[in-house]
Protein backbone atom coordinates (compact mmCIF):
# COMPACT_ATOMS: atom_id res chain seq x y z
CA UNK A 1 0.00 0.00 0.00
CA UNK A 2 1.28 3.43 -0.86
CA UNK A 3 2.26 5.50 2.13
CA UNK A 4 0.55 8.91 2.32
CA UNK A 5 3.70 10.37 3.85
CA UNK A 6 5.82 11.01 0.78
CA UNK A 7 8.71 13.28 1.61
CA UNK A 8 8.24 15.57 -1.35
CA UNK A 9 4.82 16.69 -2.56
CA UNK A 10 4.35 19.56 -5.01
CA UNK A 11 1.21 21.31 -6.19
CA UNK A 12 1.50 22.93 -9.63
CA UNK A 13 -0.45 26.31 -10.84
CA UNK A 14 13.69 4.81 -10.32
CA UNK A 15 13.37 1.60 -10.35
CA UNK A 16 11.44 0.46 -13.40
CA UNK A 17 9.41 -2.65 -14.05
CA UNK A 18 9.87 -3.07 -17.76
CA UNK A 19 7.20 -4.14 -20.22
CA UNK A 20 9.02 -5.81 -23.10
CA UNK A 21 7.27 -4.05 -25.97
CA UNK A 22 5.73 -5.96 -28.85
CA UNK A 23 7.24 -9.31 -28.02
CA UNK A 24 5.80 -9.16 -24.50
CA UNK A 25 2.24 -8.40 -25.53
CA UNK A 26 2.16 -11.00 -28.31
CA UNK A 27 2.36 -13.73 -25.68
CA UNK A 28 -0.96 -14.74 -24.19
CA UNK A 29 -0.91 -14.48 -20.43
CA UNK A 30 -3.05 -13.96 -17.39
CA UNK A 31 -2.71 -11.81 -14.33
CA UNK A 32 -2.66 -13.62 -11.00
CA UNK A 33 -6.14 -14.60 -9.89
CA UNK A 34 -5.46 -13.53 -6.29
CA UNK A 35 -7.19 -10.47 -4.89
CA UNK A 36 -5.85 -7.21 -6.27
CA UNK A 37 -5.44 -4.24 -3.94
CA UNK A 38 -4.54 -0.65 -4.73
CA UNK A 39 -0.77 -0.90 -4.77
CA UNK A 40 1.68 1.34 -6.52
CA UNK A 41 1.52 5.03 -7.24
CA UNK A 42 -0.61 6.92 -9.74
CA UNK A 43 0.72 9.46 -12.20
CA UNK A 44 2.86 9.98 -15.27
CA UNK A 45 6.62 10.25 -15.04
CA UNK A 46 8.47 13.30 -16.31
CA UNK A 47 8.94 13.36 -20.07
CA UNK A 48 5.43 12.15 -21.00
CA UNK A 49 4.07 14.30 -23.83
CA UNK A 50 0.40 15.34 -23.84
CA UNK A 51 -1.56 16.89 -26.70
CA UNK A 52 -2.55 20.53 -26.28
CA UNK A 53 -3.97 23.15 -28.71
CA UNK A 54 -0.42 24.39 -29.37
CA UNK A 55 1.16 20.99 -29.83
CA UNK A 56 2.71 18.41 -27.54
CA UNK A 57 3.73 19.50 -24.07
CA UNK A 58 5.61 17.60 -21.41
CA UNK A 59 3.57 16.80 -18.32
CA UNK A 60 6.03 18.49 -15.97
CA UNK A 61 5.49 21.80 -17.79
CA UNK A 62 1.69 21.78 -17.59
CA UNK A 63 0.04 24.24 -15.24
CA UNK A 64 -3.40 24.82 -13.77
CA UNK A 65 -5.72 26.23 -16.46
CA UNK A 66 -3.83 24.76 -19.41
CA UNK A 67 -5.98 23.02 -22.01
CA UNK A 68 -5.44 19.34 -22.82
CA UNK A 69 -6.91 17.39 -25.75
CA UNK A 70 -9.06 14.59 -24.34
CA UNK A 71 -10.36 11.47 -26.05
CA UNK A 72 -14.07 12.11 -25.57
CA UNK A 73 -14.64 15.72 -24.51
CA UNK A 74 -12.38 17.88 -26.63
CA UNK A 75 -10.29 20.51 -24.89
CA UNK A 76 -10.49 20.41 -21.09
CA UNK A 77 -8.80 22.77 -18.63
CA UNK A 78 -6.48 21.36 -16.00
CA UNK A 79 -7.90 22.01 -12.54
CA UNK A 80 -4.91 20.76 -10.57
CA UNK A 81 -1.57 19.07 -11.09
CA UNK A 82 0.08 17.49 -8.09
CA UNK A 83 3.30 15.56 -8.07
CA UNK A 84 5.13 13.26 -5.72
CA UNK A 85 8.82 12.42 -5.53
CA UNK A 86 9.66 8.85 -4.58
CA UNK A 87 13.16 8.29 -3.24
CA UNK A 88 15.43 5.31 -3.71
CA UNK A 89 14.89 4.35 -0.07
CA UNK A 90 11.10 4.46 -0.44
CA UNK A 91 11.23 2.27 -3.54
CA UNK A 92 13.53 -0.18 -1.76
CA UNK A 93 11.05 -0.36 1.13
CA UNK A 94 8.02 -0.70 -1.18
CA UNK A 95 8.87 -1.89 -4.72
CA UNK A 96 5.27 -1.27 -5.83
CA UNK A 97 6.19 2.44 -5.90
CA UNK A 98 8.50 1.81 -8.86
CA UNK A 99 7.20 3.04 -12.23
CA UNK A 100 6.09 0.67 -14.96
CA UNK A 101 7.88 1.16 -18.27
CA UNK A 102 5.89 0.56 -21.44
CA UNK A 103 8.11 0.30 -24.48
CA UNK A 104 7.04 1.49 -27.91
CA UNK A 105 4.02 -0.49 -29.22
CA UNK A 106 3.69 -2.40 -25.93
CA UNK A 107 -0.12 -2.30 -26.14
CA UNK A 108 -0.63 -1.92 -29.88
CA UNK A 109 0.36 0.20 -32.89
CA UNK A 110 1.39 3.66 -31.63
CA UNK A 111 0.38 2.70 -28.09
CA UNK A 112 2.64 4.14 -26.92
CA UNK A 113 4.43 5.83 -29.80
CA UNK A 114 7.44 6.34 -27.53
CA UNK A 115 8.45 4.68 -24.25
CA UNK A 116 6.20 5.76 -21.38
CA UNK A 117 6.67 5.48 -17.62
CA UNK A 118 3.65 5.53 -15.32
CA UNK A 119 2.85 4.58 -11.75
CA UNK A 120 1.81 0.99 -11.17
CA UNK A 121 -1.71 2.02 -10.10
CA UNK A 122 -2.23 4.40 -13.02
CA UNK A 123 -4.90 3.16 -15.39
CA UNK A 124 -4.43 2.70 -19.12
CA UNK A 125 -7.25 2.47 -21.64
CA UNK A 126 -6.79 -0.92 -23.29
CA UNK A 127 -8.76 -1.52 -26.52
CA UNK A 128 -11.15 -4.45 -26.37
CA UNK A 129 -9.57 -6.17 -29.35
CA UNK A 130 -6.41 -6.66 -27.26
CA UNK A 131 -8.34 -8.43 -24.49
CA UNK A 132 -9.14 -12.10 -24.83
CA UNK A 133 -12.50 -11.97 -23.05
CA UNK A 134 -13.92 -8.62 -24.22
CA UNK A 135 -15.87 -7.46 -27.23
CA UNK A 136 -13.66 -5.64 -29.70
CA UNK A 137 -15.49 -2.35 -29.15
CA UNK A 138 -15.38 -2.47 -25.33
CA UNK A 139 -12.37 -0.51 -24.12
CA UNK A 140 -11.26 -1.08 -20.53
CA UNK A 141 -9.33 0.86 -17.91
CA UNK A 142 -6.59 -1.39 -16.53
CA UNK A 143 -3.91 -0.50 -13.94
CA UNK A 144 -0.44 -0.48 -15.46
CA UNK A 145 0.74 -2.98 -12.84
CA UNK A 146 -1.68 -5.52 -14.33
CA UNK A 147 -0.31 -4.95 -17.81
CA UNK A 148 3.14 -5.55 -16.35
CA UNK A 149 1.91 -8.85 -14.98
CA UNK A 150 2.44 -10.53 -18.37
CA UNK A 151 5.95 -9.19 -18.91
CA UNK A 152 8.91 -11.50 -19.39
CA UNK A 153 10.84 -10.02 -16.49
CA UNK A 154 11.37 -6.98 -14.28
CA UNK A 155 14.22 -4.52 -14.42
CA UNK A 156 15.55 -2.39 -11.57
CA UNK A 157 17.86 0.27 -12.95
CA UNK A 158 16.55 3.69 -11.83
CA UNK A 159 16.96 5.15 -8.37
CA UNK A 160 13.95 7.43 -7.92
CA UNK A 161 10.73 8.55 -9.58
CA UNK A 162 8.51 11.63 -9.86
CA UNK A 163 4.83 11.18 -10.68
CA UNK A 164 2.52 13.91 -12.04
CA UNK A 165 -1.24 13.58 -11.51
CA UNK A 166 -3.67 15.67 -13.54
CA UNK A 167 -7.16 16.50 -12.27
CA UNK A 168 -10.05 17.72 -14.44
CA UNK A 169 -13.65 18.60 -13.60
CA UNK A 170 -14.54 15.00 -14.44
CA UNK A 171 -12.57 11.86 -15.33
CA UNK A 172 -10.90 12.17 -18.71
CA UNK A 173 -8.87 9.94 -20.97
CA UNK A 174 -6.04 11.62 -22.83
CA UNK A 175 -2.95 10.47 -24.69
CA UNK A 176 0.51 10.41 -23.15
CA UNK A 177 3.15 9.55 -25.74
CA UNK A 178 0.23 8.24 -27.81
CA UNK A 179 -1.06 5.90 -25.08
CA UNK A 180 -4.59 6.61 -23.80
CA UNK A 181 -4.41 7.06 -20.02
CA UNK A 182 -6.84 8.15 -17.34
CA UNK A 183 -6.69 11.38 -15.35
CA UNK A 184 -6.51 11.26 -11.56
CA UNK A 185 -9.94 10.36 -10.16
CA UNK A 186 -10.47 11.41 -6.52
CA UNK A 187 -12.42 8.79 -4.57
CA UNK A 188 -12.44 7.22 -1.14
CA UNK A 189 -9.91 4.65 -2.33
CA UNK A 190 -7.52 7.02 -4.08
CA UNK A 191 -7.73 9.71 -1.40
CA UNK A 192 -6.28 7.21 1.05
CA UNK A 193 -3.13 7.28 -1.07
CA UNK A 194 -2.54 11.03 -1.28
CA UNK A 195 -1.09 13.47 1.26
CA UNK A 196 -3.31 15.66 3.42
CA UNK A 197 -2.34 18.90 1.66
CA UNK A 198 -3.43 17.46 -1.68
CA UNK A 199 -6.75 16.40 -0.15
CA UNK A 200 -7.28 19.93 1.14
CA UNK A 201 -6.50 21.40 -2.27
CA UNK A 202 -8.92 19.01 -3.98
CA UNK A 203 -11.71 19.81 -1.53
CA UNK A 204 -11.10 23.52 -2.00
CA UNK A 205 -11.37 23.08 -5.78
CA UNK A 206 -14.62 21.11 -5.52
CA UNK A 207 -16.41 22.54 -2.45
CA UNK A 208 -19.84 21.32 -3.59
CA UNK A 209 -18.80 17.67 -3.71
CA UNK A 210 -18.89 15.13 -0.91
CA UNK A 211 -15.69 15.30 1.21
CA UNK A 212 -14.80 11.80 0.04
CA UNK A 213 -15.78 12.63 -3.57
CA UNK A 214 -18.51 10.01 -3.68
CA UNK A 215 -20.35 12.23 -6.17
CA UNK A 216 -17.36 13.02 -8.38
CA UNK A 217 -18.36 11.81 -11.88
CA UNK A 218 -17.62 8.16 -12.51
CA UNK A 219 -15.32 7.07 -15.37
CA UNK A 220 -17.19 6.33 -18.56
CA UNK A 221 -15.21 3.17 -19.37
CA UNK A 222 -15.35 -0.31 -17.94
CA UNK A 223 -12.78 -1.01 -15.22
CA UNK A 224 -10.76 -4.22 -15.10
CA UNK A 225 -8.09 -5.48 -12.73
CA UNK A 226 -7.27 -8.84 -14.26
CA UNK A 227 -6.92 -9.27 -17.98
CA UNK A 228 -5.85 -11.82 -20.56
CA UNK A 229 -4.37 -10.72 -23.87
CA UNK A 230 -4.93 -11.97 -27.37
CA UNK A 231 -1.90 -13.79 -28.79
CA UNK A 232 -1.08 -11.15 -31.39
CA UNK A 233 -2.22 -8.00 -33.14
CA UNK A 234 -1.95 -6.79 -36.71
Amino acid sequence: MVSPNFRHIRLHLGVCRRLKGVETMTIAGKISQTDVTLTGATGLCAGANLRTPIGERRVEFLRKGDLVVTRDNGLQPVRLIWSQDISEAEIAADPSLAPVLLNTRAIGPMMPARPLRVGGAHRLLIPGWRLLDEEDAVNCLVPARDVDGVSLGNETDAKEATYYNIVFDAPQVFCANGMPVESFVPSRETLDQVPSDVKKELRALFPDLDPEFADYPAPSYKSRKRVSYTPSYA
Side-chain angles (χ1 to χ4, degrees):
M1 189 66 66
V2 182
S3 168
N5 298 316
F6 294 117
R7 290 190 180 88
H8 307 289
I9 302 294
R10 296 194 298 271
L11 296 178
H12 294 253
L13 298 173
V15 175
C16 287
R17 296 184 292 155
R18 177 161 298 190
L19 187 60
K20 297 289 188 177
V22 176
E23 60 270 25
T24 295
M25 297 302 296
T26 56
I27 296 177
K30 289 190 175 183
I31 304 302
S32 169
Q33 294 303 305
T34 58
D35 289 340
V36 177
T37 57
L38 181 63
T39 57
T42 61
L44 308 175
C45 290
N49 280 297
L50 281 60
R51 292 178 60 200
T52 76
I54 57 174
E56 290 191 339
R57 191 169 183 182
R58 288 172 59 165
V59 64
E60 62 266 36
F61 299 139
L62 283 176
R63 293 295 182 265
K64 182 177 179 179
D66 286 348
L67 296 175
V68 172
V69 178
T70 66
R71 178 184 176 92
D72 303 301
N73 298 297
L75 298 175
Q76 292 293 317
V78 173
R79 295 298 307 276
L80 176 71
I81 302 177
W82 62 275
S83 66
Q84 58 193 33
D85 293 337
I86 309 297
S87 69
E88 180 179 6
E90 288 167 322
I91 291 175
D94 184 358
S96 75
L97 296 176
V100 172
L101 172 62
L102 289 89
N103 283 324
T104 303
R105 291 172 54 87
I107 305 301
M110 303 300 289
M111 293 186 291
R114 296 181 295 279
L116 176 68
R117 288 176 172 84
V118 301
H122 203 92
R123 299 204 297 184
L124 316 173
L125 187 67
I126 308 295
W129 51 266
R130 288 296 291 122
L131 302 178
L132 194 61
D133 54 352
E134 288 289 352
E135 297 292 332
D136 287 354
V138 178
N139 299 323
C140 297
L141 291 167
V142 182
R145 62 166 182 267
D146 287 0
V147 176
D148 186 60
V150 296
S151 67
L152 302 179
N154 295 338
E155 184 173 278
T156 58
D157 55 3
K159 301 300 183 184
E160 56 188 12
T162 299
Y163 296 111
Y164 296 86
N165 287 274
I166 302 174
V167 182
F168 297 97
D169 285 319
Q172 302 293 341
V173 170
F174 57 92
C175 285
N177 289 3
M179 181 68 219
V181 300
E182 186 184 38
S183 62
F184 180 78
V185 179
S187 67
R188 176 180 297 179
E189 184 179 40
T190 59
L191 287 177
D192 285 342
Q193 317 305 315
V194 303
S196 58
D197 55 343
V198 175
K199 294 178 187 178
K200 291 178 181 178
E201 182 74 7
L202 285 166
R203 287 165 180 156
L205 281 171
F206 303 101
D208 296 330
L209 296 184
D210 177 83
E212 294 188 340
F213 290 87
D215 48 355
Y216 187 79
S220 58
Y221 292 96
K222 183 177 180 178
S223 298
R224 293 285 303 274
K225 289 187 178 181
R226 305 178 185 90
V227 289
S228 302
Y229 296 92
T230 53
S232 62
Y233 59 83

